[in-house]
Amino acid sequence: MNNKLNNRHAPAAVALLLSLTVAACSHDKPLEISSSVRYSQLDDEGLVADKGCLEYDSIVFSDNSYAVMVLRNAPQNMLTRYVDSGGRLMATVSAPSETYAQRLVYGYDDKGRLRYLLRFDELGEPQLWEENTDSAYLGFRMAIDSVNFHNPDTTRHTLTEMVYGDGGWVSEIRETPTGKCLAAPEGYRIEVKVDQCVGFWSSDLDGGRYLLKADIVPISAGGGTYFIKRFVDFMPTTEMHYAGWRLFKSVCHPNPRCPGDVKETVTLTAVDGANIYTKVYGSSRDTLARIWKGGLLREEVLRSEWGTILCTRHYTSLPSGMVRVEERNIDFKTLQMKPAIVTMLPLSGMPHEEDEMNPLKHGNWIEAY
């Protein structure tokens, strides 16, 4: 493995110890490494075939906590997990092969619930250097014990705190020092989890990251009128709105990482046995209505904000298994519809009605869900 990858991925014990917010910590017996096992493709040519990785370290500490580091092959993304003696995750250090490492430390309350998530400022941390040694793992493990979640160094770290209500569920999430906050309205709670992004092991640029996911959900969906709102790292992603237990509106918020992405809102109404899905994109007041009947897409109508029909498409299913599409567009000079353009599409290539209200089907949150 080349030095460039080691420089980006290896734990830098000294830098991490300096950057962590520490409180005085005493031990009856100093923490030590009781055993360690290291594998490398240089020593074991079958490592890639057996474990799918280039390097694998397993470190056991004297308090029975442990750390496991995996450096995967193609791309060379890395993950180190620090776990306590009870199997609870204490910290993660992870990175795609071409960008900075993400370092997270997890804090729990006296009931074993996730209470804190401390993030390092990735760009503000010193450049990592090659130090995949026992002393590096031990140094970071000791630093984890010294983290003071009640008084973090906000010049280097961001702290997310989960606030639990009387019912035992999360009622609020707040971030220091940014001031970001998610609060559950009355009758709702927040479901929180820290997940690997979809491309964690497959993307050398966008992988290697954990995401803080928060879903605002009803405590009890009494009457069948409620909503579910989802957030990733405090950014709104999707909304699902229900009335009478039936989904009637979905929203997909733009992903800030995707230039040009816009909010998409879909509303469902039922008229004379047909389901009409009306879509609005971004700040535009134009609407696209897609009309379904009998499980088949029958018509699309694009209207301007003034009600002018700009485009229509009529779909006719044929016994041959093809679909005849008749499209008409407005001529802005005459304000009349142009002659129809007819195309043929295979039925197998047509959209499915259940996807109309799926906000992630055509959205740009694929790295999150």
Side-chain angles (χ1 to χ4, degrees), residues 22-23 59 63 67 120 124 140 150 157 178 203 213 227 233 243 247 272 289 312 315-316 355-356 365 369:
V22 297
I59 312 295
D63 66 347
F120 288 78
F140 187 63
H150 302 288
H157 308 131
T178 66
S203 174
K213 296 183 179 180
F227 62 78
D233 293 338
L247 177 64
D272 297 331
T312 63
Y315 297 85
T316 304
D355 292 333
E356 293 284 4
W365 292 101
Y369 300 102

Side-chain angles (χ1 to χ4, degrees), residues 61 63-67 81-91 108 141 145:
F61 302 100
D63 66 347
N64 291 321
S65 63
Y66 60 90
R81 300 174 73 250
Y82 290 82
V83 182
D84 69 16
S85 59
R88 190 168 58 186
L89 186 63
M90 304 172 70
Y108 303 87
R141 172 64 189 86
D145 281 347

